[in-house]
């Protein structure tokens, strides 16, 4: 608190409200928004469902006393503008998503939007040399149309005709959903961010156990990992489980098991690599028959694309070696190759400094999951700050945050806004990355 107040004093005004009181309000508001749901008894808020309109209405009611104007853009994003000292100043975006998975918690995405509004509240009318635009993205989870990031794609101009044609389970297209909500899909190009956008900052719960395990309330994201997804099939010979001696078998499940252990070991002893075999299908899949075929999924993630590719190549060689030794064959198919997305080094450093100013260890980490910042980073310098997630639990009603951690995030955000307001380097960066 004290350090936060000092930072704002440096700008001539002591105007940060008690961050703990603001944090309590943030948590309460997140819980209020969780009630706007398509399902009774649990939270589910997908792209432009009627509950999203109620969610927008509730958020807009908080803006009135702050004198902040808002609009819903043609991609369904709630855009809230806090004016700067000069009318034509460049703008900083802060936001996250307002949609949710089914049976969701109250904080994934929502917290980043509500916390951004708390930062505006803390400014108490003080104008900065840049406009702040808070964005509540319409869609990030990909639940309704099987395609994620509809909202942020609208901002970076990649919400294509092909995506607009996608249909939900009821046969309603994205295009129709927009019109039903009272929006005009033809105006989507106007939803794109302006050339004078300085950057995008997203606060988000970590959704994992790392920060809790090392005792840090906040983490600074340096990169969103790239990922490879493959399908690996071991092909042996199905045979009788009673009559086939052990040395004459070509057991696909035994080969798969050996390989799964190799995958786990390789990831365990390779820095920052995570690798997962999450699904296995066995043929014929009967207790008294030696398996003739085992089909496995492989998910490999790393912040460095080259390291990920080397790991995938190594694991495929391991599969071939295991198969050859056991007299089996192996096939592989690549299903997804997604590049890692580094966050903007300048904003990352600024975020780390702000975390330190808030009295926390500026712990740098990667995000193992995708976020709106990943899409925004293609067009504008982006950064993410993670909040510790108790138990690492997310996408579940048990998802929670500690009020003290939210207070730290608010202090960090206040310092970040102040640092950027005082940074000539930042205010010069109006080009798109
Ligand atoms: Zn999220």
């Amino acid at each position: 608190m004290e350090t936060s107040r000092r930072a704002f004093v440096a700008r001539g005004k002591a105007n940060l409200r008690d961050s703990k009181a603001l944090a309590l309000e943030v948590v309460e508001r997140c819980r209020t928004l969780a009630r706007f749901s398509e399902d009774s008894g649990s939270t589910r808020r997908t792209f432009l469902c009627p509950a999203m309109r109620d969610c927008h209405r509730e958020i807009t009611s908080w803006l009135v006393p702050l004198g902040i104007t808002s609009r819903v853009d043609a991609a369904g994003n709630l855009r809230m503008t806090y004016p700067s000292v000069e009318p034509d100043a460049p703008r900083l975006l802060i936001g996250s998503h307002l949609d949710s998975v089914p049976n969701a918690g109250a904080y994934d995405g929502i917290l980043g939007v509500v916390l951004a509004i708390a930062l505006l509240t803390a400014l108490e009318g003080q104008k900065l040399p840049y406009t702040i635009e808070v964005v509540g993205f319409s869609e990030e989870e990909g639940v309704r149309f099987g395609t994620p990031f509809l909202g942020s794609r609208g901002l970076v101009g990649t919400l294509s005709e092909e995506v607009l044609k996608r249909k939900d389970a009821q046969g309603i297209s994205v295009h129709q959903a927009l019109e039903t909500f009272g929006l005009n899909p033809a105006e989507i190009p106007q939803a794109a961010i302006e050339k004078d956008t300085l950057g995008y900052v997203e606060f988000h719960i970590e959704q994992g156990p790392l920060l809790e395990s090392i005792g840090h309330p906040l983490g600074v994201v340096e990169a969103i990992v790239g990922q490879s997804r493959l399908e690996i099939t071991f092909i042996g010979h199905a045979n009788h489980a009673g009559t086939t001696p052990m040395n004459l078998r070509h057991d696909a499940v035994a080969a798969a098991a050996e390989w799964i252990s190799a995958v786990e070991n390789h990831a365990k002893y390779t820095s920052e690599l995570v690798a997962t075999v999450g699904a296995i299908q066995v043929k014929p899949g009967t207790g008294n028959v030696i398996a003739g075929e085992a089909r496995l999924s492989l998910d490999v993630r790393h912040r460095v694309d080259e390291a990920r590719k080397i790991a995938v190549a190594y694991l495929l060689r391991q599969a071939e070696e295991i198969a050859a030794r056991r007299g089996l064959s192996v096939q592989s198919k690549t299903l997804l190759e997604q590049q890692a997305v580094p966050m903007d080094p300048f904003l990352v450093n600024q975020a780390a400094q702000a975390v330190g100013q808030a009295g926390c260890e500026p712990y740098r980490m990667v995000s193992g999951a995708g976020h709106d910042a990943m899409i925004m980073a293609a067009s504008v310098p982006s950064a993410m700050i993670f909040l510790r997630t108790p138990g690492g639990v997310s996408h579940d009603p048990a998802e929670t945050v500690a009020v003290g951690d939210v207070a730290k995030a608010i202090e960090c955000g206040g310092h970040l806004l102040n640092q950027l307001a005082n940074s000539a380097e930042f205010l010069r960066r109006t080009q798109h990355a």
Side-chain angles (χ1 to χ4, degrees):
M1 251 309 287
E2 212 31 57
T3 48
S4 304
R5 183 161 284 141
R6 226 170 19 241
F8 277 86
V9 168
R11 293 191 39 76
K13 251 175 149 182
N15 54 7
L16 190 70
R17 263 171 50 182
D18 182 357
S19 59
K20 191 74 181 276
L22 271 174
L24 279 167
E25 186 180 61
V26 165
V27 168
E28 194 189 298
R29 284 179 165 180
C30 289
R31 301 217 69 87
T32 298
L33 294 182
R35 294 203 290 268
F36 300 119
S37 173
E38 293 161 81
D39 298 340
S40 59
S42 67
T43 303
R44 171 196 176 96
R45 199 168 52 245
T46 60
F47 184 66
L48 300 185
C49 63
M52 188 62 92
R53 197 186 299 280
D54 300 331
C55 177
H56 285 175
R57 192 176 298 130
E58 177 71 16
I59 293 172
T60 308
S61 75
W62 306 335
L63 304 177
V64 176
L66 302 174
I68 295 169
T69 56
S70 69
R71 68 183 172 108
V72 177
D73 71 20
N77 302 305
L78 184 61
R79 314 273 292 261
M80 299 156 264
T81 305
Y82 184 87
S84 66
V85 182
E86 303 287 339
D88 294 326
R91 63 183 57 207
L92 172 70
L93 307 181
I94 313 177
S96 195
H97 59 97
L98 292 173
D99 67 317
S100 84
V101 295
N103 200 34
Y107 304 98
D108 172 8
I110 320 302
L111 177 74
V113 182
V114 177
L115 198 142
I117 294 168
L119 294 178
L120 301 184
T121 309
L123 285 172
E124 292 189 332
Q126 181 188 7
K127 301 273 170 60
L128 301 177
Y130 50 83
T131 301
I132 300 174
E133 183 172 331
V134 175
V135 188
F137 289 111
S138 54
E139 213 281 351
E140 188 265 357
E141 301 283 6
V143 173
R144 184 168 173 186
F145 295 98
T147 304
F149 308 117
L150 297 182
S152 42
R153 288 192 213 204
L155 262 74
V156 300
T158 55
L159 197 51
S160 63
E161 269 306 314
E162 187 212 324
V163 175
L164 293 182
K165 281 185 195 147
R166 291 201 70 129
K167 290 185 175 164
D168 67 7
Q170 273 70 49
I172 298 165
S173 68
V174 176
H175 196 282
Q176 287 170 308
L178 287 164
E179 287 182 332
T180 304
F181 204 77
L183 301 169
N184 180 1
E187 290 172 4
I188 284 174
Q190 281 103 279
I193 50 174
E194 303 287 335
K195 287 251 180 294
D196 66 352
T197 304
L198 294 164
Y200 170 73
V201 176
E202 180 168 359
F203 287 87
H204 200 285
I205 54 169
E206 180 201 350
Q207 302 180 284
L210 181 57
L211 288 171
E212 184 174 64
S213 74
I214 54 178
H216 295 323
L218 304 175
V220 180
V221 177
E222 287 189 305
I224 295 173
V225 298
Q227 57 176 291
S228 300
R229 284 192 209 167
L230 294 92
E231 185 182 273
I232 313 291
T233 309
F234 287 95
I235 301 153
H237 301 299
N239 213 332
H240 199 290
T243 61
T244 317
M246 295 309 287
N247 62 334
L248 297 179
R249 295 179 177 210
H250 305 283
D251 185 334
V253 160
E258 188 182 340
W259 183 68
I260 292 167
S261 291
V263 169
E264 188 193 28
N265 268 317
H266 185 62
K268 242 181 189 168
Y269 298 109
T270 307
S271 177
E272 298 189 70
L273 183 73
V274 288
T276 308
V277 176
I280 173 163
Q281 290 170 289
V282 175
K283 280 185 191 167
T286 304
N288 61 352
V289 179
I290 297 160
E293 187 182 300
R295 185 175 298 174
L296 296 87
S297 66
L298 175 66
D299 179 311
V300 179
R301 306 186 191 206
H302 199 282
R303 80 154 96 189
V304 180
D305 290 327
E306 197 52 31
R308 173 175 47 86
K309 285 176 192 161
I310 288 170
V312 169
Y314 174 79
L315 294 174
L316 290 179
R317 279 202 308 279
Q318 289 284 99
E320 277 161 20
E321 195 190 301
I322 290 164
R325 180 160 29 82
R326 291 169 170 270
L328 283 78
S329 64
V330 66
Q331 294 171 353
S332 69
K333 195 159 82 180
T334 301
L335 306 175
L336 175 79
E337 277 283 352
Q338 191 173 285
Q339 307 269 317
V341 179
M343 297 290 98
D344 178 65
F346 173 84
L347 281 180
V348 167
N349 285 334
Q350 290 291 322
Q353 192 183 325
V355 169
Q357 287 289 311
C360 305
E361 175 84 23
Y363 182 75
R364 292 170 184 243
M365 59 189 297
V366 295
S367 172
H371 293 288
D372 290 304
M374 187 171 101
I375 304 300
M376 296 300 288
S379 276
V380 68
S382 298
M384 278 196 93
I385 295 161
F386 275 165
L387 284 84
R388 172 164 56 188
T389 306
V393 177
S394 183
H395 284 189
D396 186 276
E399 179 183 280
T400 180
V401 279
V403 173
D405 293 357
V406 176
K408 285 292 174 199
I410 291 168
E411 287 175 33
C412 162
H415 286 294
L416 182 61
L417 294 184
N418 190 54
Q419 285 164 215
L420 297 178
N422 289 300
S423 166
E425 184 186 346
F426 176 68
L427 296 170
R428 273 201 306 270
R429 313 172 98 218
T430 53
Q431 81 292 350
H432 282 194

